[in-house]
């Protein structure tokens, strides 16, 4: 969202006036072409042990999340 010019303009609008008309009031329709189905069996083949998120270092968390982060997030 921070790389979206419309969102940034809307945030500035809200901060200045308390409202904005730059954003839609309706949620976009979901893009069904992006759906991926993964079975529990497939997940268990990859994740063989439980990850205790709270005990991981920041670097370890980044390495876990890196494959699933979208390019615009990075």
């Amino acid at each position: 969202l921070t790389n979206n010019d419309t969102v940034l303009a809307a945030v500035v609008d809200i901060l200045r006036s308390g409202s904005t008309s730059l954003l839609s009031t309706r949620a976009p329709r979901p893009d069904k072409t992006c759906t991926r189905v993964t079975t529990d069996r497939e997940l268990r083949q990859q994740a063989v042990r439980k990850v205790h998120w709270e005990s991981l270092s920041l670097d370890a968390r980044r390495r876990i999340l890196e494959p699933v982060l979208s390019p615009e997030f990075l």
Side-chain angles (χ1 to χ4, degrees):
L1 290 174
T2 58
N3 290 328
N4 185 308
D5 290 338
T6 304
V7 171
L8 293 175
V11 169
V12 170
D13 209 13
I14 291 168
L15 292 173
R16 286 185 178 155
S17 67
S19 65
T20 187
S21 60
L22 297 174
L23 301 174
S24 174
T25 58
R26 294 179 182 246
R29 291 183 181 189
D31 183 357
K32 295 183 180 186
T33 62
C34 293
T35 302
R36 178 178 174 198
V37 177
T38 303
T39 65
D40 188 54
R41 184 180 196 171
E42 291 171 319
L43 290 174
R44 290 187 188 282
Q45 288 173 346
Q46 296 295 319
V48 294
R49 64 181 180 88
K50 179 167 176 59
V51 175
H52 296 281
W53 189 256
E54 298 80 18
S55 65
L56 295 177
S57 69
L58 184 57
D59 187 53
R61 292 178 187 190
R62 280 193 186 116
R63 282 185 273 124
I64 289 172
L65 292 174
E66 189 173 30
V68 296
L69 291 177
S70 60
E72 59 270 5
F73 185 80
L74 298 172

